[in-house]
Amino acid sequence: MSISTPVIASFTSGEISPRLAGRVDVAKYYSGCKTLENFHVHPHGGITRRSGFRFVVEAVSNSEKSRLIPFEFSETQTYVLEFSPLKMRVFTGQGVVKTSEGEIYERATPFTAEDIAQLNFCQSLDTLILTCPGHQPQKLTRTAHDNWTLSGFSAPQGAGLHPTCCCFYQDRLFLATADGMIHFSKISDYWNFTMPAADAEVLADVPGQRKISSGKGNRIEFLLPKDVIYVGTQGGTWTVFGKNGTFSTPDVGTKQASTVGAASVVPVLAANSALYIQRAGRRLMEMAYNFQVDSYPSNDMTIFAEHITRNGIKELAYLEAPDSIIYGLRNDGTLLACTYYREQNVVAWSRIITKGKVESITSIHNDAAGRDELWAVVLRNINGTEKRFVEFIEAEFDSVNDDTAVEAFFLDAGVTFDLEEKTKSLSGLEHLAGAEVEILVDGAVIPNETVAEDGKLELTSAGQKIHVGLGYSSVVEPMPLEFGSHRGTSQTKPKLLFKIAARFYNTLGGKMGMNPGELDVIYSRAPNMPMGQAVPLFTGDKELVSPTGWTRGSVIHIRQDQPLPMTVLMVVPTQVINT
């Protein structure tokens, strides 16, 4: 027999495929997880529990889906647009826009429930272009928070179909149609698509068009501008560019980059790459320039986690700060997060699980908070009734100014009460009427309560800073341990795990062990600490003796079920292997 203490010092491979359970010869195995749920991966190795979804307002309709689209005029003027059948609402500053009379601002649109799912969009300053099969392209213009104008404009000359996607590039508007044709406007005259006469000289700034002929599927699914225009078709990806660096109408080049077809999902730009969904809907592809081949090949970002996109992805959103994270929304309502730092070889997936189904996502920058925000429409079952909520994920917990969990927000559909005096009586929770909620009072967890039908809630303990909402669990299970012995691998051999040590940062509570049904509590309150006082956050090592008996498998479980913070930096088990 031999004793071993292998170290799990990084989680930067995220949740990896169960098909890799035998690949102990691959480096990513040792920084990968069997399960990673409701955690975000940091590029430097640790994982932090994701913050809660903060409730903003109920969606337009509980019976019809909504779609969220971003609108960013500047760093300080950003909006989320909620499109529901024939209606649009506006959000800014983490709240819904209201009229001067105090009513929620709405404006009419021509888009039906079927149309909303097919909307494509691009923006230049205060104007958002919206394209949709069966509709003339529309331009949405903002003149004030509560003053938006929507109007159609004529399709390009010669276009037999309505445009399906669009982009702005080098001061032109580009519109693509389902037959593989790309139309581009006159420079600085976005609505002018009038082609010059057949016998006229083709000047550099006039409107024009180019055909993408992939040979397999010509339908253009996206246009994404960068140094060139990335083009995704059903049959492959292409680039459109000016042959001499500047986009000139008589001097336009097209080049096929790959034969990986694209789905009709709006892609995102992250650093120097375009991220798009492959035609079958299961793979996130990275399209970026490769100097060695002088082209823009597509690489699979789900190669080590093919299981995580089951059911397909229907929407993408990208957050640049504080960490670079790509969010993908699966067709079944599960939200995925992928920490993405290609220069550091970090592509780390996790699953964001909530009590409900996420139906739409988008991201905007919040200049006041100094971060990007993920917004979502979530369908929740509240006391037997289906309700749709507009929510956003709260900022990552930061304890710089306090060593307690008073500001910790780890509840979904959650609300915060910041009061001048302590109280046990709360109101204004109508959206959670009849639901059992979890509660954090001045940094301390108190027993769950049920919200009354009138939205009122009576607490067992009074407080000033109170967070109320739906609970969720965060779970991490590193891959089955491999530590070897003088007789080779430890895989398939009997083992005895009798101690687990973990290094935490700004953490309170939690559980860990070998058996998910019998986890040991990680205690944070010292014996000499007064009751009725918030427990300070813990940074350091916790060790548990966890005799499990002999087993051929060795999977460690760490879980946080309470509305409290958790960051895991390292795990060190102690095992005996029967050699």
Side-chain angles (χ1 to χ4, degrees), residues 234-356:
Q234 290 183 338
T237 56
W238 293 67
T239 56
V240 176
F241 51 90
K243 293 180 181 178
N244 295 314
T246 301
F247 196 91
S248 172
T249 300
D251 195 28
V252 176
T254 61
K255 183 178 180 181
Q256 186 162 12
S258 79
T259 57
V260 180
S264 55
V265 176
V266 178
V268 295
L269 276 175
N272 295 316
S273 304
L275 284 304
Y276 69 95
I277 300 301
Q278 185 262 351
R279 183 175 180 174
R282 287 287 305 272
R283 290 188 284 161
L284 177 68
M285 306 302 298
E286 173 196 68
M287 184 178 178
Y289 180 72
N290 185 310
F291 178 79
Q292 293 179 325
V293 297
D294 189 27
S295 187
Y296 295 79
S298 291
N299 302 306
D300 186 0
M301 296 295 98
T302 54
I303 188 68
F304 290 103
E306 99 295 331
H307 70 296
I308 208 157
T309 56
R310 63 169 55 96
N311 304 115
I313 294 179
K314 66 176 184 177
E315 287 186 10
L316 293 172
Y318 174 63
L319 274 65
E320 182 179 0
D323 281 340
S324 173
I325 300 178
I326 302 161
Y327 288 92
L329 176 57
R330 288 194 332 205
N331 287 315
D332 65 355
T334 299
L335 185 61
L336 308 174
C338 177
T339 300
Y340 176 81
Y341 287 85
R342 288 296 286 158
E343 69 280 9
Q344 303 297 330
N345 195 30
V346 175
V347 178
W349 291 92
S350 62
R351 289 173 294 119
I352 308 301
I353 307 299
T354 185
K355 292 177 180 176

Side-chain angles (χ1 to χ4, degrees), residues 22 36 39 61 73 100 145 160 162 182 199 237 251 274 279 395 445 469 493 527 546 554 561 572 579:
L36 192 59
F39 278 101
S61 171
F73 174 68
S100 56
H145 286 343
H162 291 119
I182 299 176
D199 57 350
T237 56
D251 195 28
R279 183 175 180 174
V445 179
K493 295 176 181 176
S546 179
S554 51
D561 291 323
V572 182
T579 58

Side-chain angles (χ1 to χ4, degrees), residues 176-427:
T177 48
D179 58 357
M181 189 68 75
I182 299 176
H183 307 262
F184 46 92
S185 72
K186 185 177 181 179
I187 290 180
S188 300
D189 190 358
Y190 300 148
W191 325 119
N192 183 353
F193 287 88
T194 303
M195 299 280 288
D199 57 350
E201 179 184 1
V202 179
L203 302 177
D205 67 339
V206 300
Q209 59 187 29
R210 285 294 182 275
K211 179 80 170 181
I212 299 294
S213 299
S214 68
K216 289 168 57 180
N218 291 336
R219 178 186 168 91
I220 297 176
E221 301 291 7
F222 70 78
L223 301 174
L224 197 61
K226 201 176 176 298
D227 54 327
V228 298
I229 299 179
Y230 298 118
V231 181
T233 76
Q234 290 183 338
T237 56
W238 293 67
T239 56
V240 176
F241 51 90
K243 293 180 181 178
N244 295 314
T246 301
F247 196 91
S248 172
T249 300
D251 195 28
V252 176
T254 61
K255 183 178 180 181
Q256 186 162 12
S258 79
T259 57
V260 180
S264 55
V265 176
V266 178
V268 295
L269 276 175
N272 295 316
S273 304
L275 284 304
Y276 69 95
I277 300 301
Q278 185 262 351
R279 183 175 180 174
R282 287 287 305 272
R283 290 188 284 161
L284 177 68
M285 306 302 298
E286 173 196 68
M287 184 178 178
Y289 180 72
N290 185 310
F291 178 79
Q292 293 179 325
V293 297
D294 189 27
S295 187
Y296 295 79
S298 291
N299 302 306
D300 186 0
M301 296 295 98
T302 54
I303 188 68
F304 290 103
E306 99 295 331
H307 70 296
I308 208 157
T309 56
R310 63 169 55 96
N311 304 115
I313 294 179
K314 66 176 184 177
E315 287 186 10
L316 293 172
Y318 174 63
L319 274 65
E320 182 179 0
D323 281 340
S324 173
I325 300 178
I326 302 161
Y327 288 92
L329 176 57
R330 288 194 332 205
N331 287 315
D332 65 355
T334 299
L335 185 61
L336 308 174
C338 177
T339 300
Y340 176 81
Y341 287 85
R342 288 296 286 158
E343 69 280 9
Q344 303 297 330
N345 195 30
V346 175
V347 178
W349 291 92
S350 62
R351 289 173 294 119
I352 308 301
I353 307 299
T354 185
K355 292 177 180 176
K357 294 182 178 181
V358 180
E359 293 186 332
S360 184
I361 58 172
T362 195
S363 63
I364 59 167
H365 181 71
N366 184 329
D367 187 63
R371 72 181 187 98
D372 296 336
E373 291 176 342
L374 184 82
W375 285 63
V377 175
V378 189
L379 177 65
R380 302 191 183 278
N381 189 304
I382 306 298
N383 193 30
T385 301
E386 287 195 336
K387 295 184 177 182
R388 285 183 168 87
F389 298 157
V390 178
E391 307 175 23
F392 65 89
I393 293 185
E394 186 54 85
E396 181 180 309
F397 175 63
D398 184 357
S399 62
V400 172
N401 300 317
D402 188 5
D403 67 349
T404 71
V406 171
E407 301 293 336
F409 188 84
F410 294 95
L411 295 162
D412 289 343
V415 174
T416 296
F417 297 87
D418 199 351
L419 309 170
E420 293 184 0
E421 297 180 355
K422 288 190 174 185
T423 185
K424 288 185 177 181
S425 301
L426 303 176
S427 60

